[in-house]
Amino acid sequence: MLGVRCLLRSVRFCSSAPFPKHKPSAKLSVRDALGAQNTSGERIKVQGWIRSVRSQKEVLFLHVNDGSSLESLQIVADSSLDSRELTFGSSVEIQGQLIKSPSKRQNVELKAEKIKVIGNCDAKAFPIKYKERHPLEYLRQYPHFRCRTNVLGSILRIRSEAMAAIHSFFKDSGFVHIHTPIITSNDAEGAGELFQLEPSGKLKVPEKNFFNVPAFLTVSGQLHLEVMSGAFTQVFTFGPTFRAENSQSRRHLAEFYMVEAEISFVDSLQDLMQVIEELFKATAMMVLSNCPEDVELCHKFIAPGQKDRLEHMLKNNFLIISYTEAVEILKQASQNFTFTPEWGVDLQTEHEKYLVKHCGNIPVFVINYPLAIKPFYMRDNEDGPQHTVAAVDLLVPGVGELFGGGLREERYHFLEERLARYLDLRRFGSVPHGGFGMGFERYLQCILGVDNIKDVIPFPRFPHSCLL
Amino acid sequence: MLGVRCLLRSVRFCSSAPFPKHKPSAKLSVRDALGAQNTSGERIKVQGWIRSVRSQKEVLFLHVNDGSSLESLQIVADSSLDSRELTFGSSVEIQGQLIKSPSKRQNVELKAEKIKVIGNCDAKAFPIKYKERHPLEYLRQYPHFRCRTNVLGSILRIRSEAMAAIHSFFKDSGFVHIHTPIITSNDAEGAGELFQLEPSGKLKVPEKNFFNVPAFLTVSGQLHLEVMSGAFTQVFTFGPTFRAENSQSRRHLAEFYMVEAEISFVDSLQDLMQVIEELFKATAMMVLSNCPEDVELCHKFIAPGQKDRLEHMLKNNFLIISYTEAVEILKQASQNFTFTPEWGVDLQTEHEKYLVKHCGNIPVFVINYPLAIKPFYMRDNEDGPQHTVAAVDLLVPGVGELFGGGLREERYHFLEERLARYLDLRRFGSVPHGGFGMGFERYLQCILGVDNIKDVIPFPRFPHSCLL
């Protein structure tokens, strides 16, 4: 029997990397190289993809990017290091000395001593072209390559930062994160068309469901968060949700991400609105301060003017109007709407847009909707003569509805004729609670000013399209 | 037309909470109350669920829990505040003075001045019983109530902390987070049976797919991470994955979470193993230090001895053996296996368990598997006579395989006869890369010693069961 001693020995044998003969150059990300304080010629190694090549008589200039930042690292090399393989898109490894750049365009540059091409790129066949600013629509055809452009690189880094900011906002506020299920036997409250699922292939038995019951992809984690809000006073989830709607709009996807929260013992909509406003502002500020160059790129090239619009949203207190006031405002509008505004009918996108503009492009909460147009679990305001529930939507410039939420009906007798399990939750130590959901892609659209939702998600899914 | 001035006014009108007449008591979570430094009789308000009631002649003792910590807050009240509604499970709001507890069992207690029952709980009908330690199997029947027990409360807080720890590990290491898609047209590499999906209801057209192609639930985000690793040198994802396997084991679920990472420009398996070992150890340490009481509860009541086993894993360097060595060890074992170990055949759970035990219950990497039993994208070691690929699995005590990964075949000509799009990725600046995946539920099982995977996920999905 081989002993543990032998196993420990094998640690050394397994390495396929040759034992280094002299001190290797430190491997740095482009981001770390750009931010290096020590530029007195330290030897480093950088790996990445060529973003530009400029070959002069005696000097070769390259820009190398590895996705760690928008900015590329300038490589300066003796033209003897030039080769036909150094094309746009090729992957390279470069060793050299990190020095202060004589140019004002960058702080540091890498004086190359060795350039190794790792993977060739046939620039002619490559659908992303050197120095071209491809339209976002063009790039959508290439979900496997578009991340190599500046703009998608920036959006994806921002998405990653925004996700982290949202998680840390909730964690710092004492919320417990819950993975609400993706597959559910619950067909929700008609929040839209559902995807149903069954095993493919040989496990498929037409007459029998895999889970014994029909199973669907979730449209919201709300019910499952409500379950948890009977044990934890503050919970949230941040995961994918689905709609099988045949919608080709620039605001809808078949698969998108939602941030949802549920808070127990809330007294009023005010409590919820405060969390929503803080969430939006605090996380947007974090994104702005953690990736300023990436945000600047979006604001500069995709949505001119968005920087000012965003600042305007962040520095003003969000407004609050009732649904009834909103309908009044719409009725008095000089604008002609396709859908005539009327009390008791849901607001349309055109109405939402008008209301936001009317509010001076400050995000506005619309509260207290008619009972008849909101789901059964919304808390009855017991008002009259116009019967409303404690629901709230947040409308934001450019996007429309960003958040939706409300107080939940926690009173047993108000729900008595409804769903059995939902009722069960109200029998044992029921508490007033409320919550909200925010579409994460719309949040990114709102911050960045990106017009089409398909450009703020890595792999968009919508009717007739499921690339990769 | 209503002006913005009017809107601003409506902010004040909208609040349904009455304007407080005198300074309200500060609302504290149980966790914050327990950790309060100021115990000189500050007036506070606490909300939560009654975990115990002890009614004496002149004094009433309650324990109130709100999910913010395992420990409950002791409430001491004059027996005049007692009522028949103060039952196990009821939700209450208590106002009083936070004082230093005379007992040694807790630091602080709340001297109640006012107790308000928010929601009654019929303790007889409530399936969770006072003072009973229900078996985990019993609790699984009540996915909507089990979070109200100490043990599930602890597991869910740990799960939330572990998720945050994993995210911060990657963020601090410079990885970009990518939301890889849940719905995919890719049927992977036969990683198991798939769920196929179609719209339910009226959108369903038998002859036509919603996405124009058959669509499935993802079994792994690897391909999509590989796409991104052509632009970002370090990427990760942490999301749900699915298997439609008819497996009723304590290690399998139809829906589970995976942490997957992909790193560009890796030279050897050593690079990957280093990240895997650091990820496991750093995040486990974070969980241990962020929720020590919750972990202690699991280690004490669910898995006695697990504390020492975990410490043993954390303080030792993980071991490394080759697949070939592993088969040798198994062949020389005195144990009789159901499946005879043989070179070229995959390791079974019984083999994995034996290997871990043989290694002194230290996690062990098994590397360099036969080409024939690993997916096509694994990097060819070009060795002989036994042809292997650079794949790695990490086996851990109690669980077996926790991580699986490897170097990816980046060389175009090695893949030439394979998947078209996969090939496309290798044509334009291909780089050596590798990655791994870790089952998040198994990770929790490994740290906590929880035997059944269904107890470490809020809403387990498995054949014949999709509750809620």
Side-chain angles (χ1 to χ4, degrees):
Chain A
M1 206 206 269
L2 296 170
V4 168
R5 185 189 296 263
C6 152
L7 297 172
L8 285 168
R9 234 191 318 118
S10 67
V11 175
R12 263 167 268 137
F13 292 148
C14 87
S15 168
S16 63
F19 197 76
K21 281 179 193 103
H22 40 107
K23 194 182 160 238
S25 308
K27 187 166 143 180
L28 283 192
S29 71
V30 166
R31 184 191 192 91
D32 289 343
L34 290 169
Q37 295 303 315
N38 181 1
T39 52
S40 53
E42 202 200 354
R43 276 203 165 65
I44 65 153
K45 182 163 84 178
V46 162
Q47 300 163 322
W49 292 267
I50 296 177
R51 282 290 176 88
S52 85
V53 191
R54 196 153 46 92
S55 190
Q56 292 183 351
K57 205 171 181 184
E58 289 176 3
V59 197
L60 169 73
F61 292 98
L62 299 176
H63 280 99
V64 169
N65 190 290
D66 67 355
S68 58
S69 71
L70 172 62
E71 205 185 327
S72 298
L73 180 65
Q74 172 154 297
I75 315 290
V76 186
D78 187 277
S79 58
S80 65
L81 291 180
D82 202 356
S83 97
R84 285 168 59 192
E85 284 184 306
L86 293 176
T87 56
F88 174 68
S90 297
S91 57
V92 289
E93 177 177 297
I94 294 154
Q95 292 187 48
Q97 288 181 290
L98 200 62
I99 56 169
K100 205 166 154 38
S101 175
S103 156
K104 274 183 184 162
R105 298 188 56 183
Q106 60 267 325
N107 288 324
V108 299
E109 58 186 36
L110 184 62
K111 209 173 145 216
E113 289 161 355
K114 204 172 148 190
I115 300 179
K116 189 172 148 194
V117 176
I118 307 278
N120 296 317
C121 178
D122 176 355
K124 270 189 189 158
F126 192 43
I128 314 286
K129 301 297 175 196
Y130 180 37
K131 276 192 173 171
E132 242 174 75
R133 196 175 301 145
H134 301 286
L136 291 168
E137 299 76 39
Y138 171 82
L139 293 175
R140 256 174 248 148
Q141 302 168 74
Y142 304 100
H144 57 316
F145 289 134
R146 66 175 184 166
C147 51
R148 296 218 209 162
T149 61
N150 275 343
V151 61
L152 260 293
S154 285
I155 290 175
L156 291 173
R157 273 188 300 274
I158 291 167
R159 188 178 165 105
S160 176
E161 281 292 339
M163 191 212 61
I166 289 166
H167 273 285
S168 71
F169 173 85
F170 281 113
K171 190 173 193 310
D172 295 347
S173 310
F175 281 71
V176 174
H177 175 274
I178 299 291
H179 278 127
T180 52
I182 308 306
I183 301 176
T184 174
S185 53
N186 203 310
D187 63 0
E189 15 61 58
E193 288 289 333
L194 302 168
F195 285 107
Q196 189 167 355
L197 48 100
E198 268 306 305
S200 70
K202 60 179 185 293
L203 265 180
K204 204 171 179 173
V205 183
E207 302 303 304
K208 223 174 154 183
N209 291 309
F210 181 85
F211 295 109
N212 287 10
V213 289
F216 309 93
L217 291 187
T218 183
V219 295
S220 158
Q222 184 195 321
L223 170 67
H224 302 93
L225 283 187
E226 282 200 68
V227 164
M228 293 298 162
S229 75
F232 306 98
T233 48
Q234 300 185 105
V235 287
F236 81 108
T237 191
F238 185 169
T241 47
F242 306 85
R243 298 279 188 286
E245 269 156 26
N246 201 355
S247 158
Q248 290 281 4
S249 101
R250 58 165 197 87
R251 304 195 317 149
H252 293 91
L253 288 169
E255 171 178 325
F256 60 99
Y257 280 76
M258 269 233 277
V259 176
E260 293 177 277
E262 206 67 28
I263 306 165
S264 297
F265 299 100
V266 288
D267 293 318
S268 69
L269 282 181
Q270 202 74 47
D271 294 351
L272 286 186
M273 290 190 283
Q274 197 180 326
V275 178
I276 291 172
E277 186 164 344
E278 277 173 19
L279 169 63
F280 181 87
K281 289 183 172 174
T283 56
M285 307 281 265
M286 274 191 257
V287 170
L288 290 177
S289 85
N290 287 349
C291 28
E293 299 89 4
D294 291 316
V295 174
E296 197 194 338
L297 179 94
C298 293
H299 286 177
K300 212 165 153 187
F301 295 115
I302 302 181
Q306 183 66 13
K307 187 173 183 285
D308 296 337
R309 284 193 291 269
L310 180 59
E311 268 169 18
H312 185 64
M313 291 187 236
L314 294 177
K315 79 172 181 227
N316 282 290
N317 290 325
F318 291 2
L319 303 172
I320 307 172
I321 55 174
S322 70
Y323 168 85
T324 305
E325 284 174 298
V327 172
E328 278 312 304
I329 293 169
L330 294 169
K331 279 186 170 170
Q332 291 174 35
S334 52
Q335 187 177 322
N336 279 327
F337 296 111
T338 313
F339 297 88
T340 310
E342 198 185 332
W343 203 96
V345 179
D346 218 351
L347 301 178
Q348 300 291 325
T349 307
E350 56 176 351
H351 303 148
E352 293 172 354
K353 279 192 178 164
Y354 182 86
L355 288 170
V356 173
K357 210 179 250 172
H358 179 88
C359 292
N361 286 314
I362 296 169
V364 56
F365 290 106
V366 180
I367 62 171
N368 298 334
Y369 283 75
L371 176 118
I373 62 170
K374 285 288 176 182
F376 74 91
Y377 50 72
M378 289 293 187
R379 196 175 200 273
D380 196 329
N381 279 331
E382 295 174 271
D383 52 357
Q386 293 174 317
H387 202 160
T388 67
V389 290
V392 57
D393 281 354
L394 177 68
L395 311 181
V396 298
V399 166
E401 184 195 334
L402 178 62
F403 284 81
L407 304 184
R408 317 306 184 191
E409 186 56 81
E410 86 280 10
R411 294 162 296 184
Y412 193 80
H413 67 279
F414 273 86
L415 286 170
E416 208 151 7
E417 284 163 40
R418 293 163 188 170
L419 202 63
R421 235 182 236 278
Y422 208 84
L423 265 180
D424 221 17
L425 287 175
R426 300 296 187 273
R427 286 174 66 195
F428 305 106
S430 179
V431 296
H433 59 293
F436 58 82
M438 175 187 85
F440 182 53
E441 282 76 20
R442 290 195 185 172
Y443 167 87
L444 292 174
Q445 284 185 279
C446 173
I447 288 180
L448 302 177
V450 173
D451 193 52
N452 197 310
I453 196 166
K454 301 178 185 73
D455 298 323
V456 293
I457 189 165
F459 300 93
R461 271 81 180 93
F462 50 95
H464 315 301
S465 180
C466 183
L467 290 178
L468 288 177
Chain B
M1 203 205 271
L2 297 169
V4 167
R5 184 189 298 263
C6 153
L7 297 171
L8 286 168
R9 236 192 316 119
S10 68
V11 175
R12 264 169 267 136
F13 293 148
C14 89
S15 169
S16 64
F19 196 76
K21 281 179 192 101
H22 41 108
K23 195 184 159 236
S25 308
K27 187 167 144 180
L28 282 192
S29 71
V30 166
R31 186 193 191 89
D32 289 344
L34 289 170
Q37 296 301 316
N38 180 1
T39 51
S40 53
E42 204 200 353
R43 275 203 165 65
I44 65 153
K45 182 163 84 178
V46 162
Q47 299 162 322
W49 293 267
I50 295 178
R51 282 293 175 86
S52 83
V53 192
R54 197 153 45 92
S55 189
Q56 292 183 352
K57 204 170 182 185
E58 290 175 4
V59 197
L60 169 72
F61 292 97
L62 299 177
H63 280 98
V64 170
N65 190 290
D66 68 355
S68 58
S69 71
L70 173 61
E71 205 185 328
S72 298
L73 180 65
Q74 171 154 300
I75 314 291
V76 185
D78 188 277
S79 56
S80 65
L81 292 179
D82 202 355
S83 98
R84 283 167 62 189
E85 283 183 307
L86 292 175
T87 57
F88 174 68
S90 297
S91 56
V92 288
E93 177 176 298
I94 293 155
Q95 293 188 45
Q97 288 181 290
L98 199 62
I99 57 168
K100 202 165 155 43
S101 175
S103 155
K104 275 184 182 160
R105 298 186 59 181
Q106 61 266 327
N107 288 324
V108 299
E109 59 186 34
L110 185 61
K111 207 174 146 217
E113 288 160 357
K114 204 172 146 190
I115 300 178
K116 189 172 148 195
V117 175
I118 307 277
N120 296 316
C121 178
D122 176 355
K124 271 189 188 158
F126 192 43
I128 314 285
K129 300 300 173 193
Y130 179 39
K131 277 193 172 170
E132 242 173 74
R133 196 174 298 144
H134 300 286
L136 292 168
E137 299 77 36
Y138 171 82
L139 294 175
R140 255 174 249 148
Q141 301 170 74
Y142 304 100
H144 57 317
F145 290 133
R146 65 176 185 165
C147 50
R148 295 219 208 161
T149 62
N150 275 343
V151 59
L152 260 292
S154 284
I155 289 175
L156 292 173
R157 274 188 300 274
I158 291 167
R159 188 178 166 107
S160 177
E161 281 293 339
M163 191 214 59
I166 289 166
H167 274 285
S168 72
F169 173 86
F170 281 113
K171 190 174 193 308
D172 295 347
S173 310
F175 281 72
V176 174
H177 176 273
I178 300 291
H179 278 127
T180 51
I182 309 303
I183 300 175
T184 174
S185 54
N186 202 312
D187 62 359
E189 14 62 54
E193 288 290 332
L194 303 168
F195 285 106
Q196 191 167 354
L197 47 102
E198 267 305 306
S200 70
K202 60 180 187 291
L203 266 179
K204 203 169 180 176
V205 183
E207 302 304 303
K208 223 174 154 183
N209 293 308
F210 181 87
F211 296 109
N212 287 9
V213 289
F216 309 93
L217 291 186
T218 183
V219 295
S220 158
Q222 183 194 323
L223 170 67
H224 301 93
L225 282 187
E226 282 199 69
V227 164
M228 293 298 161
S229 76
F232 306 97
T233 49
Q234 300 184 105
V235 286
F236 82 108
T237 191
F238 186 169
T241 47
F242 306 86
R243 299 280 188 286
E245 268 157 27
N246 201 353
S247 157
Q248 290 281 5
S249 101
R250 59 165 196 87
R251 305 196 317 151
H252 292 91
L253 287 169
E255 171 178 327
F256 59 100
Y257 280 76
M258 270 232 278
V259 175
E260 293 177 276
E262 207 67 29
I263 306 164
S264 296
F265 298 101
V266 289
D267 292 319
S268 68
L269 282 181
Q270 201 75 46
D271 294 352
L272 287 186
M273 289 189 282
Q274 198 181 325
V275 178
I276 291 173
E277 186 164 345
E278 276 172 20
L279 169 63
F280 181 87
K281 288 183 173 174
T283 56
M285 307 280 265
M286 274 191 256
V287 170
L288 290 178
S289 84
N290 288 348
C291 30
E293 299 87 5
D294 291 316
V295 173
E296 198 195 337
L297 179 92
C298 294
H299 285 177
K300 212 165 150 186
F301 294 115
I302 303 181
Q306 183 66 12
K307 186 173 183 285
D308 295 338
R309 285 194 290 271
L310 180 59
E311 268 170 18
H312 184 65
M313 291 187 235
L314 294 176
K315 76 171 184 227
N316 283 290
N317 289 324
F318 291 1
L319 303 173
I320 306 171
I321 55 176
S322 70
Y323 167 85
T324 304
E325 284 173 299
V327 172
E328 277 312 304
I329 292 169
L330 293 169
K331 279 187 171 170
Q332 290 172 36
S334 52
Q335 188 177 323
N336 278 327
F337 296 110
T338 313
F339 296 88
T340 310
E342 197 184 334
W343 204 98
V345 180
D346 217 350
L347 301 179
Q348 300 292 324
T349 307
E350 56 176 349
H351 303 147
E352 292 172 356
K353 280 193 178 164
Y354 182 87
L355 289 169
V356 173
K357 207 179 252 176
H358 178 87
C359 292
N361 287 313
I362 296 170
V364 55
F365 291 107
V366 180
I367 62 172
N368 298 333
Y369 283 76
L371 176 119
I373 61 170
K374 286 287 176 184
F376 74 91
Y377 50 70
M378 288 294 187
R379 195 174 202 273
D380 196 328
N381 279 331
E382 296 176 86
D383 51 357
Q386 292 173 317
H387 203 160
T388 67
V389 289
V392 57
D393 282 352
L394 177 67
L395 311 181
V396 298
V399 167
E401 185 192 336
L402 178 62
F403 285 83
L407 304 184
R408 317 306 185 191
E409 186 56 82
E410 86 279 9
R411 295 162 294 185
Y412 193 81
H413 65 278
F414 273 86
L415 286 171
E416 209 152 6
E417 285 163 39
R418 294 164 189 173
L419 201 63
R421 233 181 237 279
Y422 208 85
L423 265 179
D424 221 18
L425 288 175
R426 302 295 188 272
R427 286 174 66 196
F428 305 106
S430 179
V431 297
H433 59 292
F436 59 82
M438 175 187 83
F440 182 52
E441 282 76 20
R442 290 194 186 173
Y443 166 86
L444 292 175
Q445 284 186 279
C446 172
I447 288 180
L448 302 177
V450 174
D451 193 53
N452 196 311
I453 196 168
K454 300 178 185 74
D455 299 322
V456 294
I457 189 165
F459 300 93
R461 272 79 178 92
F462 49 95
H464 315 301
S465 180
C466 185
L467 291 179
L468 288 178

